[in-house]
Amino acid sequence: DCVGCVRRKLVSYDNKEMKPPRSFLSWHSLACHLRQIRLKLCRGLRQRRQNALHIAQCENRNRHEKTLQIQEELQKLKNREETYYWKKILSDLPRIPPGVQDHISDTPLVEDSPEFSAVSNMFLKSMVRHRVSFRSEEWAPCMDVTVVEIRKLVHAPLQRRYEAEIAKVAHVQQSHDCTDIPGINAVKCEKHIGLPDLNEYLLYHGAAFSRAHQILRTGLDPQTGTVTGSGRGTYFAENASKADFYATCDSCGENDRPRSCCNKCGDRYVFIARVLLGQSHVLRAGRNYHDAINAERQENGHRYDSHTALSSAWGGSLDHMEYVTYKEKCLLRWLVRYRHKETCQCHNCLYRGRS
C-alpha cells in the first residue's frame, strides 16, 4: 500500500475506535520515517542549491571586481604612458640650425597629430572654477570651450636668448637643483642633459586678440607688461581659465581691454610658453610687491629668477597661483585659438553676458 492508503486506513480505524493491526502501525511509522527522510533530502537539496547559487554569485562578483581592477590598472598604465608620451612631446625643444639667424614661423598643427592632442588635452585639463565676481562666495562652473586651432611657434632669436638664460641660471646653480615650488600644478618640462633641475614649466598667458600677431614677432617684454600685485613683469598662470581673464575676442577690434569685451562666443587667443622659473621667490599673503621692477635678491646676492604668488591653500592671497618673470625667461611655444560654447556658464561668460 502507498502512504495515502495507510493514512486512510488509520483514519478509518480511529473513527471506529478500534486499534489497527500491528502491521498497519509498522507501515505508518515507516511512512512517517520516509516522509521525514524526504523532507530532509528536500531541505538538503534546497540548501545545496542556495549554496551553489551563493558561490556562483560570489565568484561572479569576484570575477567582476577583478575585471574592474584589471581595467583600472590598465587605464592607469595607459594614462601614465600617455602622460609620459605627451610630456616627451611637450618638453621637446627643437634645436635652431647654426645657419638660421632670424627664422620666425607659426605653423598650424594637424588635428589628428600627437602634438595637437597633447597640447589640446593639456589646455583643456588645466581649466578650473573661478568666483562669479570679485570676493564673491559663489563659484561659477568650469569653462566649456572648443579648441579651434593650435599653431606651433618658432622664433630663432628669442630661443637663442632663452637658451642663454638657461646657461646663466645653470651656472649660478653650480650643478644644484633649484628649490621646488610649493603648490605648483603645471606641466613640468624634462631636465636638460647635463644640467640641474631649473624649474621649467609650461604656463599660459592671455592676450588681446589684436596684439597676438605683434607678440608673435617681438615676444613678451616684461618691462611693458601689466602692473599688478607683483609689480611690472610678464604674468603667467598654470590654468588656461585664468589666462582667459586677459583675452579679448576677434570682434573687439583694436580694443585690448579684456573687461570691455562683451562677446561671449568670439574667438580668443592664449599663448602657451615654456617659462624658466628657476630659483623662484615665493610670495605669501601680507606683503605688497606692486612697485617691483626686478626680482628680489637671494641671500647669496643673486636675484631670484621669478616670483611665485601662492594660492590661499598654500598661504597666499590668490584663488589660483600665478608666476611673474622680470626678464625674458620665457619662450612662446604654441598659440591656442579657442571659443566658449554657447552653453558655457563660466565666470567670464556670466560677466560678458551682463555687459
Side-chain angles (χ1 to χ4, degrees):
D1 293 335
C2 66
V3 176
C5 295
V6 172
R7 282 182 181 173
R8 283 194 293 273
K9 289 178 181 179
L10 288 172
V11 171
S12 65
Y13 279 112
D14 289 338
N15 293 338
K16 295 176 183 178
E17 298 180 355
M18 293 173 60
K19 291 184 178 181
R22 191 172 295 174
S23 60
F24 281 112
L25 291 174
S26 61
W27 277 105
H28 175 64
S29 61
L30 178 62
C32 292
H33 183 64
L34 291 173
R35 184 170 177 271
Q36 291 176 359
I37 292 173
R38 182 167 174 255
L39 290 174
K40 287 182 180 179
L41 288 172
C42 289
R43 287 196 201 99
L45 290 172
R46 194 181 301 117
Q47 187 65 35
R48 190 177 296 175
R49 282 198 211 97
Q50 290 176 354
N51 291 342
L53 182 62
H54 179 68
I55 291 170
Q57 289 175 348
C58 290
E59 287 179 351
N60 289 336
R61 194 182 302 116
N62 292 337
R63 195 180 297 115
H64 181 64
E65 290 176 356
K66 196 173 289 184
T67 303
L68 290 178
Q69 186 178 358
I70 292 172
Q71 289 177 351
E72 187 177 351
E73 290 176 358
L74 287 173
Q75 188 63 38
K76 285 181 180 178
L77 183 62
K78 182 181 177 183
N79 292 340
R80 198 179 302 123
E81 289 179 351
E82 194 174 60
T83 303
Y84 177 76
Y85 178 59
W86 285 351
K87 188 176 179 180
K88 278 282 188 185
I89 294 175
L90 297 171
S91 298
D92 181 46
L93 188 61
R95 292 183 176 274
I96 301 297
V100 179
Q101 296 295 327
D102 302 320
H103 176 67
I104 301 173
S105 66
D106 55 318
T107 310
L109 298 177
V110 182
E111 286 193 17
D112 57 353
S113 65
E115 188 171 358
F116 185 96
S117 300
V119 175
S120 61
N121 275 276
M122 180 185 67
F123 179 80
L124 295 173
K125 285 182 178 179
S126 71
M127 306 289 185
V128 291
R129 299 175 65 190
H130 296 267
R131 297 180 190 271
V132 172
S133 58
F134 184 62
R135 291 182 179 174
S136 171
E137 295 298 324
E138 184 182 356
W139 293 76
C142 194
M143 280 173 55
D144 189 11
V145 302
T146 301
V147 176
V148 179
E149 183 186 48
I150 299 176
R151 305 186 78 88
K152 185 174 183 177
L153 310 179
V154 177
H155 198 300
L158 292 181
Q159 183 166 334
R160 288 196 186 88
R161 201 176 305 170
Y162 179 76
E163 290 172 349
E165 288 292 334
I166 290 176
K168 200 180 297 182
V169 175
H171 176 72
V172 172
Q173 288 301 120
Q174 296 181 354
S175 73
H176 297 291
D177 291 343
C178 293
T179 306
D180 291 337
I181 300 172
I184 190 167
N185 197 29
V187 175
K188 188 173 187 177
C189 299
E190 293 188 332
K191 291 170 55 176
H192 297 277
I193 298 174
L195 295 180
D197 186 356
L198 302 178
N199 281 338
E200 287 184 273
Y201 287 88
L202 296 176
L203 301 174
Y204 302 93
H205 180 86
F209 195 90
S210 59
R211 296 189 63 237
H213 292 287
Q214 177 188 347
I215 294 173
L216 286 176
R217 293 193 302 272
T218 61
L220 296 170
D221 184 4
Q223 299 308 313
T224 60
T226 309
V227 179
T228 59
S230 299
R232 183 178 295 281
T234 305
Y235 284 72
F236 297 94
E238 64 183 20
N239 308 109
S241 53
K242 185 166 185 174
D244 182 66
F245 274 87
Y246 308 97
T248 60
C249 70
D250 51 352
S251 61
C252 288
E254 295 300 320
N255 181 13
D256 58 357
R257 296 173 57 195
R259 304 310 286 173
S260 64
C261 179
C262 302
N263 187 1
K264 291 171 57 177
C265 301
D267 287 7
R268 304 175 192 279
Y269 282 135
V270 162
F271 288 94
I272 301 178
R274 185 182 180 121
V275 184
L276 178 64
L277 296 178
Q279 201 69 22
S280 188
H281 180 46
V282 176
L283 309 181
R284 302 186 186 275
R287 188 170 177 184
N288 187 11
Y289 290 85
H290 191 273
D291 297 328
I293 57 173
N294 282 309
E296 291 286 299
R297 288 194 179 274
Q298 306 178 49
E299 293 179 357
N300 59 9
H302 295 286
R303 290 191 181 276
Y304 284 99
D305 301 303
S306 62
H307 282 183
T308 297
L310 295 178
S311 64
S312 56
W314 290 88
S317 58
L318 303 176
D319 288 331
H320 306 289
M321 296 176 66
E322 65 184 23
Y323 310 88
V324 190
T325 59
Y326 300 93
K327 290 187 177 181
E328 296 175 343
K329 295 188 177 182
C330 66
L331 179 65
L332 299 177
R333 297 288 289 116
W334 297 279
L335 178 62
V336 181
R337 182 169 183 159
Y338 66 99
R339 70 170 67 101
H340 291 251
K341 295 180 182 178
E342 293 183 1
T343 56
C344 181
Q345 293 295 318
C346 73
H347 57 290
N348 278 333
C349 286
L350 293 174
Y351 176 84
R352 290 159 186 157
R354 291 194 299 264
S355 301

